[in-house]
Every structure is written in structure tokens, then in C-alpha cells.
Amino acid sequence: MAVRTWLMILFLVFMMMQKGKGQLSETFYRTSCPKVESIVRKVVTEKINQTFVTIPATLRMFFHDCFVEGCDASVLISSPNGDAEKDAPDNLSLAGDGFDTVIKAKTEVEKSCPRVVSCADILTIATRDVIELAGGPSFKVELGRRDGLISKASRITGNLPDPNFNLTQLNTMFAKNNLTQTDMIALSGAHTVGFSHCSRFANRLYSFSPSSPVDPNLDPTYAQQLMQACPQNVDPRIAINTDPATPQTFDNMYFQNLVAKKGLFTSDEVLFTNKASQATVIDFANNPGDFSGAFVTAIRKLGRVGVKTGNAGQIRVDCTAFNS
């Protein structure tokens, strides 16, 4: 009987250990690479000092990565055939500074801890750092992701929100990733440091409807400013800030802009015009602490989407290529 009891205890301990291997943890690299976060932070800080674009570029890349195949750095893969995730039309606008940040950080981490830290975790740490260095909230990140083995442009369609989405479409897409409406609204607040090419919102200025070329939910003065920055047939490379007030500070101004009818995308402004989400927008506009708290909750949840842990995936040596 005693032997059977001991066997049962050993089995339970074994199962708990196996379960632990498959979970994210804030202390995942405590012994295997204790300085990983400070190494990444140094690279991110240097990169931001070179160009502010590092901040929105890294943050947007994290979101695009997690919504397709999960948070597994599949967006970083380069394909000689031009058919990887990054080659999809929705990802062609991802700024190179985001990729450069992660690749440089990985290079530095490899010097201290070769083949230990995943590119997915480096992207996660870098995303937290750019938020904090832009004036946003500081928070701890859960680590232990492994890098994915699939990166196909064909798998993007239908997995990233469109700038013309309504509230139902937004909620449906975020719910697929275990994110609530409040999470979705909070994460949309990342547009406080974003930028967009004119083509993503031109329909709101020039062809909204037969009776009203300009979207009536756009503040008229703001619409005129957008028209000056984005005339018809503008150079497709031109990009403008998604937050016209404090574009280089991570704050709650995005929500104040929505209340003032200065949301750039239809999918931004609908958060205020739809009664089902309006109260949350007003709360975030008036209470920066409420937004910060909701954003931290939401981005930590986003970081758990579709993660590979334990023996799944791999630890890439080069973030842009699967291990050979």
C-alpha cells in the first residue's frame, strides 16, 4: 500500500512538473538567462533614441503577430518566395524599425544566453519596453513562449481587424482570441502612438456615401486637416499620426480624441458612436488610471494568445528563419 501511495505521489509530482513546463511565468528565465530583460531594454532604448518610429512599429508588430498563429514570432520570418506572414498585404505596412529592434535584441541576447530565449519572448519584452518608454504604464511580462514553425501570408486574411470594422465585427474578432470588448477598447488605445497611411482612411474623406463624401462623424476641422495631409492620389508612402494631439506620448488622449470626433479610422470612432461601447470610451477619456489598468490587463492577455510552450515550436537562432 505504501509503495502504491508513493507511486501516486511521484506521478502527481511528475504531472505538476510537466504542467509547469507548459506555462508562461514572469520568472521563466531567472536562472537560464537572468539579464534578458535588461539586455533587451538597452537595445530598445538605443533604437528609440535613433527613431521614435521604433515605438509604434514594435507595438503594432506584436499585435499582428499574436492575432495570426498566436504570439510566436511568425511575423518575423523572411521567405525567399515572398509568401511569409510579413509579405501579406495587411503586413506590408509594418515598419522595418520594429523588425530591426527585435533582431538586434536577439543578437545581444544570444551573446549571453545562446539558444535559450525565443524571438517571441524578445518581441514581448520589447513591446512592454516601448510602451513604458513612451510614457505608458510599466508592468511585468509573462515569458516562456517558443517560436512557431508556420509563417504563411495566406493565413492572414480574416485574422486582423479592418479599419472599417463596426463594433460587432471588432468584438467577434477579439473574442476569437479570448479578449473582451473592454480589452479591445483598451488595446485600441495603442493608437495614441500610432501612424497610418492615407489609404486606410481616405474613404472617410472623399467617398463616405453618395449624400456625404466626408464622414459626418469626423470633426469638420479635423477632416480639413486630414485632407491637407492626405490629398486625393497622395503618395502612398505618406503616413500621418493616429493621435493628432500627443502623437509621441502613450496616454489616454486617443479616447479624448474619440469624444471630440477625431478618431482616424471608422473602427476607432465607432467605439464612441456606438452606445454599447461609449461609456468605456468616456471612462478612459476622463480617467487615465482606468485606461492604464485596463490596457495592462488586456496586453498581458494578448500575450497569451496561441502561445507555444513546453516542447512545441523551437527557440530560433535567427528570428527571420526557422532553424535548419
Side-chain angles (χ1 to χ4, degrees):
M1 195 73 175
V3 172
R4 184 178 294 178
T5 303
W6 272 109
L7 287 173
M8 183 62 71
I9 291 171
L10 287 170
F11 175 76
L12 290 172
V13 170
F14 174 77
M15 291 303 294
M16 289 173 67
M17 288 175 66
Q18 289 302 109
K19 187 179 179 185
K21 286 181 180 177
Q23 293 179 328
L24 301 182
S25 164
E26 292 174 5
T27 58
F28 189 84
Y29 297 111
R30 176 175 284 172
T31 55
S32 60
C33 193
K35 294 184 178 178
V36 59
E37 292 189 48
S38 60
I39 294 170
V40 174
R41 178 69 162 232
K42 182 173 184 289
V43 172
V44 170
T45 302
E46 290 172 352
K47 183 70 182 171
I48 290 172
N49 289 338
Q50 293 170 8
T51 172
F52 175 81
V53 174
T54 302
I55 293 171
T58 305
L59 185 47
R60 186 163 176 251
M61 185 167 70
F62 178 67
F63 179 82
H64 279 229
D65 182 51
C66 292
F67 261 41
V68 182
E69 309 293 353
C71 307
D72 66 352
S74 50
V75 75
L76 281 144
I77 291 292
S78 293
S79 166
N81 303 319
D83 59 358
E85 265 183 45
K86 66 185 291 189
D87 301 308
D90 280 349
N91 281 338
L92 292 176
S93 60
L94 291 175
D97 290 300
F99 293 92
D100 191 48
T101 300
V102 176
I103 291 166
K104 284 181 174 175
K106 173 66 169 176
T107 300
E108 292 305 308
V109 170
E110 284 294 302
K111 293 176 183 176
S112 296
C113 318
R115 297 175 180 261
V116 170
V117 183
S118 67
C119 300
D121 275 347
I122 288 174
L123 173 55
T124 303
I125 296 167
T127 299
R128 184 272 311 275
D129 290 346
V130 298
I131 291 165
E132 188 174 334
L133 291 167
S138 62
F139 55 96
K140 293 181 178 180
V141 288
E142 297 172 317
L143 302 169
R145 296 164 194 79
R146 288 168 65 86
D147 298 320
L149 299 171
I150 297 171
S151 180
K152 296 184 181 297
S154 60
R155 302 181 64 144
I156 300 292
T157 305
N159 287 313
L160 290 172
D162 185 89
N164 294 314
F165 269 11
N166 60 35
L167 186 65
T168 300
Q169 291 170 312
L170 287 168
N171 278 334
T172 299
M173 180 163 286
F174 277 72
K176 282 197 309 182
N177 295 291
N178 200 34
L179 296 162
T180 66
Q181 176 173 289
T182 300
D183 295 330
M184 180 270 291
I185 296 170
L187 290 170
S188 297
H191 285 167
T192 184
V193 289
F195 56 87
S196 170
H197 293 94
C198 299
S199 61
R200 303 289 283 177
F201 56 87
N203 65 306
R204 299 189 74 197
L205 302 175
Y206 302 110
S207 57
F208 185 73
S209 72
S211 60
S212 176
V214 180
D215 185 343
N217 283 318
L218 262 181
D219 173 77
T221 303
Y222 183 47
Q224 287 297 321
Q225 292 169 350
L226 292 175
M227 287 177 178
Q228 290 174 4
C230 294
Q232 287 180 290
N233 303 315
V234 68
D235 184 329
R237 294 171 296 181
I238 296 296
I240 69 158
N241 297 316
T242 48
D243 176 354
T246 57
Q248 295 198 354
T249 304
F250 194 100
D251 55 19
N252 69 326
M253 187 58 71
Y254 166 82
F255 299 101
Q256 296 179 40
N257 291 336
L258 297 189
V259 174
K261 292 190 171 185
K262 294 181 180 179
L264 190 60
F265 303 133
T266 300
S267 57
D268 289 324
E269 199 56 52
V270 72
L271 302 180
F272 177 70
T273 57
N274 193 306
K275 297 298 182 184
S277 50
Q278 188 178 80
T280 304
V281 170
I282 293 172
D283 175 38
F284 290 171
N286 293 332
N287 300 289
D290 288 358
F291 164 54
S292 292
F295 183 83
V296 169
T297 296
I299 200 157
R300 280 169 60 92
K301 284 175 68 176
L302 175 61
R304 300 174 194 136
V305 173
V307 295
K308 285 79 180 165
T309 58
N311 295 320
Q314 62 183 198
I315 303 297
R316 269 181 234 148
V317 179
D318 173 358
C319 289
T320 68
F322 301 122
N323 294 345
S324 55

